Amino acid sequence: MASISKLSNPSPALSLSSTFNPRASQPKCLIGFLTTTTNFSSKVSSSKLSIRSKSSLKGSLVVRCSQGDGNGSPAKRTYLHDLYEKEGQSPWYDNLCRPVTDLLPLIASGVRGVTSNPAIFQKAISTSNAYNDQFRELVLSGKDIESAYWELVVKDIQDASKLFESIYDQTDAGDGYVSVEVSPRLADDTQGTIEAAKWLHKVVAHPNVYIKIPATAPCIPSIKEVIANGISVNVTLIFSLTRYEEVIDAYLDGLEASGLNDLSKVTSVASFFVSRVDTLIDKLLEKIGTPEALDLRGKAAVAQAALAYQLYQKKFSGPRWKALVKKGAKKQRLLWASTSVKNPAYPDTLYVAPLIGPDTVSTMPDQALQAFIDHGTVSRTIDSNVSEAEGIYSALEKLGIDWSYVGNQLEIEGVDSFKKSFDSLLDTLQEKANSLKLVSL
C-alpha cells in the first residue's frame, strides 16, 4: 500500500430529568417522507428510566441511501433550524455518499455541516457503482489501490465542502465544515498523523474542511502541531473527561505556538462520543445486577457529556483564553458524536435532546436525524441539571465503574473498528480492480 508520502495530489434534548412530548445499487443521500407507525413516549427521571408507548410518527423526514434519482420536494423549515437559531447548536449530518448534491435538501432542512469516517466511506464506496468510472480511470493511470482510495475520498470532500461554503462565509469560519479523517492506521503514529493531516489539508484545499485526528495518546501532540500549522481539526474518538481535557490543552497549545496574529480561521471541534458509552457501561451494570445498578442504565453517557460541557466552559474562560480571543481565536466547540441509539428500548432522541446548548455541534446519522426532525424538542438542556449529572457520575464510580477503563476500552474499540473498515474497503477496491482486469492479483 502507498505511504502518505507517495500519494499525489488528486485531480482538480431531553434533560436528565424531563419528559418527551412526541408529535403526531448506487447509494444516494436522499430525503423523502416515510409513513410509519412507531409508538412510544418516555420519561427519564433522576431515579428511574421508564419507556411507555403512546404516540405515532407520520410523514417523518428520512435521509437514506437509495437507488432513485433526485430528491423529491424541497425541505420545509424543521427543528434543525430552531436548534441553531434559538439555542446556538449546529446540526450536522454524519454521512456522505455520491452524488453529494443530494445533500442540498438536507442543507435546506437546516443541516450545517457533514462528518465522515472510514466506516462511512467503506459503506458508500463498497455498495455503490457511483465511484466506478473515477476508480477505473485512476487505476488505468497507474494509481495503486490506496492512492486511488484517497482520490475518491478527496473528491467527495471537495465537492461536499463547496455546498457548505456559503454557511462558512456567513459565519466567518464558524460553521459549514466537512470532515475527513486521516488513515486509522496512523492512530499510534504521532509524526505520521502530522504529515497525513498536512497532506490532506493541502490536497483538499478548501478552508471549510476539518482534518479528523483521533484523540489517542500518541495523537495528542499531533493535534497541537497541526493546529500550530494553521490547520483546522476535528478531534475524534473522545470517550472520557480526562482525555477531553488533554484535547482542549492541545488546541490551546497549538494556537499559542502558531505565531499567528490572526487566529480567526484556525478552528476546531472536539468530537465527544455518547451512545457507545452507554453500550459498554450498561453491560457492566447488568453484570453487577443490583437494583441500583440496573436503575442507572442509559444514564451514564448523557451525564458524562453534561460534565464535559462544564469542563468546556471552564477551560474556555480566564486570562489564558482571553489573550487568545484578542487574536481572534474561536472556542473549540464540543461536538456530540455517536448520537444514534443502540438500545431499541431507549428513546430515539436520547443522545440529541439532552445535549442541546450554545456553541456545540450535534452530528446525526439517519436514524437520529429523522427522529429529531419528527418529534424533537428544542430547548437548552445540556446544563439544566448539572448536579444530577454529577450524582450519576459519582454513583457509577461507587458501584465500581472505572471511567478510565471505559474510556480506554472504547478508544481501542473505536480505532480497531475504523481500521477494519479501512482495510475492508481497500480489499473491496482491489477486488473491483481485479474484476475489471485492470491490475494483476
Side-chain angles (χ1 to χ4, degrees):
M1 298 301 175
S3 66
I4 200 71
S5 61
K6 294 179 182 178
L7 300 180
S8 61
N9 290 9
S11 306
L14 171 72
S15 68
L16 289 167
S17 294
S18 64
T19 304
F20 271 116
N21 292 301
R23 63 187 187 104
S25 153
Q26 282 192 18
K28 286 189 175 183
C29 303
L30 176 65
I31 295 182
F33 282 88
L34 174 68
T35 302
T36 60
T37 301
T38 303
N39 295 322
F40 77 93
S41 73
S42 61
K43 295 183 178 180
V44 180
S45 69
S46 59
S47 61
K48 186 175 183 180
L49 176 70
S50 61
I51 312 290
R52 288 204 284 276
S53 298
K54 272 203 173 177
S55 71
S56 63
L57 302 177
K58 295 183 179 180
S60 55
L61 186 63
V62 177
V63 184
R64 63 184 184 274
C65 286
S66 167
Q67 294 288 333
D69 295 322
N71 292 295
S73 58
K76 298 179 180 179
R77 182 177 178 85
T78 74
Y79 285 143
L80 301 183
H81 295 101
D82 292 338
L83 265 183
Y84 180 75
E85 294 171 14
K86 296 181 179 180
E87 300 301 336
Q89 181 174 82
S90 296
W92 288 5
Y93 181 44
D94 192 28
N95 196 16
L96 185 59
C97 52
R98 293 188 182 180
V100 298
T101 50
D102 282 346
L103 290 169
L104 289 171
L106 275 172
I107 296 172
S109 296
V111 167
R112 302 179 62 80
V114 162
T115 48
S116 68
N117 59 46
I120 285 173
F121 278 116
Q122 192 272 337
K123 180 179 179 182
I125 297 174
S126 65
T127 62
S128 170
N129 293 322
Y131 297 85
N132 285 1
D133 289 345
Q134 184 190 2
F135 180 63
R136 181 182 294 107
E137 292 175 3
L138 291 168
V139 177
L140 281 173
S141 71
K143 300 287 184 182
D144 62 78
I145 298 301
E146 187 171 345
S147 296
Y149 161 79
W150 283 111
E151 295 224 18
L152 297 176
V153 167
V154 167
K155 176 171 172 48
D156 279 6
I157 296 298
Q158 289 175 325
D159 290 346
S161 66
K162 292 175 184 176
L163 303 181
F164 289 92
E165 279 181 350
S166 61
I167 295 176
Y168 175 84
D169 292 338
Q170 290 164 10
T171 58
D172 188 26
D175 213 354
Y177 287 88
V178 177
S179 297
V180 59
E181 190 159 346
V182 299
S183 169
R185 293 174 174 174
L186 300 173
D188 296 321
D189 184 345
T190 303
Q191 191 59 38
T193 294
I194 293 170
E195 295 306 316
K198 289 179 178 178
W199 178 82
L200 273 173
H201 174 71
K202 179 180 179 180
V203 297
V204 172
H206 282 261
N208 61 323
V209 171
Y210 275 137
I211 307 302
K212 291 182 76 172
I213 297 176
T216 57
C219 285
I220 294 297
S222 308
I223 295 163
K224 173 189 173 181
E225 182 66 19
V226 172
I227 290 292
N229 276 270
I231 299 171
S232 295
V233 174
N234 176 340
V235 185
T236 188
L237 295 177
I238 305 172
F239 297 99
S240 69
L241 296 176
T242 300
R243 183 55 54 83
Y244 173 47
E245 186 164 17
E246 293 175 5
V247 167
I248 297 175
D249 289 337
Y251 176 61
L252 297 176
D253 291 343
L255 290 177
E256 291 169 338
S258 71
L260 296 171
N261 291 321
D262 180 7
L263 296 171
S264 63
K265 297 299 190 291
V266 186
T267 70
S268 181
V269 291
S271 294
F272 202 97
F273 280 55
V274 192
S275 68
R276 295 188 195 185
V277 174
D278 274 345
T279 299
L280 176 55
I281 290 184
D282 281 3
K283 292 178 181 177
L284 299 176
L285 292 172
E286 287 167 2
K287 285 184 179 180
I288 297 171
T290 64
E292 181 184 8
L294 297 177
D295 188 54
L296 288 170
R297 288 176 296 179
K299 298 179 181 179
V302 171
Q304 182 179 229
L307 298 184
Y309 189 73
Q310 294 301 300
L311 181 58
Y312 159 82
Q313 291 181 310
K314 176 183 177 182
K315 297 288 286 189
F316 289 100
S317 62
R320 184 186 187 188
W321 176 242
K322 288 180 180 178
L324 289 169
V325 170
K326 290 180 180 179
K327 294 184 177 183
K330 292 181 172 66
K331 295 177 181 178
Q332 182 188 54
R333 291 189 295 173
L334 259 171
L335 181 152
W336 309 121
S338 183
T339 54
S340 62
V341 174
K342 307 295 192 293
N343 187 335
Y346 294 163
D348 53 5
T349 59
L350 179 61
Y351 303 116
V352 179
L355 303 178
I356 298 173
D359 300 320
T360 60
V361 178
S362 180
T363 189
M364 294 171 268
D366 296 339
Q367 176 201 44
L369 193 67
Q370 171 195 346
F372 193 80
I373 288 175
D374 184 82
H375 49 265
T377 301
V378 177
S379 63
R380 180 167 176 163
T381 52
I382 185 59
D383 50 6
S384 62
N385 202 330
V386 177
S387 61
E388 185 177 343
E390 293 171 339
I392 291 171
Y393 193 90
S394 297
L396 289 163
E397 287 182 317
K398 291 177 182 178
L399 285 171
I401 300 300
D402 183 345
W403 284 98
S404 178
Y405 162 77
V406 170
N408 290 335
Q409 180 63 27
L410 290 173
E411 180 182 297
I412 291 170
E413 292 176 4
V415 170
D416 185 58
S417 174
F418 284 163
K419 283 181 180 178
K420 287 180 178 178
S421 294
F422 185 76
D423 292 342
S424 174
L425 178 52
L426 293 184
D427 288 343
T428 298
L429 289 176
Q430 183 66 63
E431 291 172 2
K432 279 191 175 187
N434 294 340
S435 69
L436 293 169
K437 301 183 185 300
L438 295 175
V439 294
S440 60
L441 290 170

